[in-house]
Amino acid sequence: MLTIEKYAAIDIGSNAIRLLIANVIEQENSPTLFKKNELIRVPIRLGEDVFSVGEISEKNKQRMIDAMQAFRLLMNAHQVKYYRACATSAMREASNGDEVVQIIKETSSVEIEIIDGKEEAAIIAATDLYSVIEKDKVYLYVDVGGGSTECTLYDQGEVKVSKSFKIGTVRILKNLVDESKWVALSDWIKEHTNGYSKITVIGSGGNINKIIKMNRKKSRKSLSYLNMLNFYEMLDALSYDERVVKLGLNPDRADVIIPALEIYLRTMKWSNAEHIVVPSIGLSDGIIKTLYKTK
């Protein structure tokens, strides 16, 4: 006998806002299945406002209200039973973040939680991450967003240490990441990976998922450092317009994919990782899993 319920996750990031609707299928004497039903991405770049002027602009505030009202209607149409909405780096730092949360609650009945970097990393860890982690190997998990990068070291299948850094793709585009922040990330990685003979980086985030999809070997779920470097040099040699027209990248992906590659390449270099594994997971998937566990 099957029990099927619909769950939804809303991920309010610095570069985009996403709604994931999933079927949660319970079976007798079998593991629960999580099947993605629909994913909607709205390119509202909150980080551009917040990281520059410290607050969400009136224009983007209205776009957020419109998006949340649409998400509420879609959740109703899909007969979603449970949902959770989480906001990350941009909303954390916005001086009017709490005000926007209240307005959205009043206009759409969507309740938003502003979560910190530690909670963000914990939610992502609740995904299918453990399906790619082997207990006899050491991994540096790197989740790159528009406003921050979360790093977690796994050894013997367990979390050893985790930290969030204010280094993100939108911040880099706005020239808001100075050398001291890179040094802090470098020092942290070198300190915690020192002594391990071999490290594999696990990458997550919209940009690395897109990079894997664009790779010629469609079935590939990992890339070498050299693959990543060659891909970076190829993209960097193209203009923004060429990335949109020739490669078919979305306008809000064509610019941030370059700094994303820079972050992944630096973390691979500093940890002496030869490969990056990409399980194609993100915060939305983790929200669904953690929501299910609490319900």
Side-chain angles (χ1 to χ4, degrees):
M1 180 178 176
L2 295 181
T3 301
I4 304 174
E5 294 178 332
K6 285 193 175 180
Y7 283 58
I10 298 174
D11 169 12
I12 302 169
S14 301
N15 191 49
I17 296 174
R18 299 170 183 82
L19 168 67
L20 171 64
I21 296 175
N23 290 319
V24 178
I25 306 168
E26 291 182 330
Q27 315 167 83
E28 286 187 30
N29 304 317
S30 297
T32 300
L33 300 177
F34 298 85
K35 298 290 186 181
K36 294 181 183 181
N37 188 276
E38 186 167 2
L39 176 64
I40 297 162
R41 182 178 182 274
V42 183
I44 304 175
R45 189 168 282 182
L46 299 179
E48 258 187 1
D49 294 340
V50 178
F51 305 146
S52 298
V53 298
E55 65 178 17
I56 297 167
S57 65
E58 288 299 319
K59 177 183 177 181
N60 278 341
K61 188 189 300 181
Q62 186 56 55
R63 291 180 71 197
M64 279 191 71
I65 292 169
D66 292 343
M68 292 304 146
Q69 288 175 336
F71 285 0
R72 167 53 71 187
L73 291 173
L74 282 168
M75 289 192 293
N76 290 346
H78 276 273
Q79 295 184 309
V80 167
K81 187 166 185 179
Y82 301 110
Y83 82 93
R84 186 183 182 190
C86 295
T88 56
S89 186
M91 288 284 281
R92 281 198 293 267
E93 297 180 33
S95 61
N96 58 346
D98 291 336
E99 172 196 331
V100 172
V101 167
Q102 186 59 35
I103 291 171
I104 287 173
K105 181 179 179 180
E106 293 169 356
T107 55
S108 66
S109 299
V110 173
E111 297 191 31
I112 297 171
E113 302 172 52
I114 300 177
I115 60 174
D116 60 24
K118 187 176 181 180
E119 173 73 2
E120 186 177 353
I123 290 173
I124 295 170
T127 61
D128 291 330
L129 188 59
Y130 285 100
S131 66
V132 300
I133 290 179
E134 298 176 34
K135 287 191 175 182
D136 60 343
K137 294 182 180 179
V138 181
Y139 300 89
L140 177 65
Y141 175 74
V142 181
D143 178 67
V144 175
S148 64
T149 293
E150 275 66 48
C151 293
T152 305
L153 186 72
Y154 288 85
D155 183 16
Q156 301 296 313
E158 296 181 355
V159 174
K160 292 302 179 183
V161 64
S162 181
K163 189 174 178 63
S164 179
F165 297 86
K166 287 186 178 181
I167 298 175
T169 58
V170 178
R171 286 190 203 269
I172 294 173
L173 285 178
K174 303 295 288 184
N175 294 315
L176 296 172
V177 179
D178 58 35
E179 188 59 28
S180 65
K181 291 185 173 64
W182 287 114
V183 170
L185 176 58
S186 171
D187 288 348
W188 187 91
I189 290 175
K190 290 175 181 177
E191 176 189 351
H192 294 290
T193 60
N194 183 40
Y196 293 110
S197 59
K198 189 174 182 180
I199 300 278
T200 298
V201 168
I202 299 175
S204 75
N207 287 293
I208 194 67
N209 291 342
K210 186 64 178 178
I211 290 163
I212 279 289
K213 288 179 183 177
M214 292 174 71
N215 194 271
R216 290 176 183 174
K217 294 182 180 179
K218 300 297 183 181
S219 61
R220 181 181 287 183
K221 287 296 181 182
S222 70
L223 293 169
S224 70
Y225 180 85
L226 185 59
N227 290 146
M228 292 283 284
L229 183 59
N230 289 340
F231 200 77
Y232 172 83
E233 291 174 346
M234 182 274 288
L235 289 178
D236 195 43
L238 299 175
S239 68
Y240 170 83
D241 291 353
E242 287 173 327
R243 286 178 225 138
V244 172
V245 176
K246 291 184 177 180
L247 300 183
L249 290 172
N250 287 333
D252 66 306
R253 179 72 69 202
D255 53 358
V256 294
I257 198 167
I258 299 292
L261 275 161
E262 183 180 358
I263 296 171
Y264 289 117
L265 282 167
R266 289 195 186 211
T267 55
M268 291 178 75
K269 181 179 179 180
W270 292 330
S271 62
N272 293 314
E274 296 179 358
H275 290 85
I276 182 169
V277 176
V278 186
S280 296
I281 56 175
L283 185 66
S284 301
D285 303 278
I287 292 172
I288 296 286
K289 295 284 181 69
T290 55
L291 183 60
Y292 172 72
K293 288 177 181 178
T294 63
K295 299 300 180 184

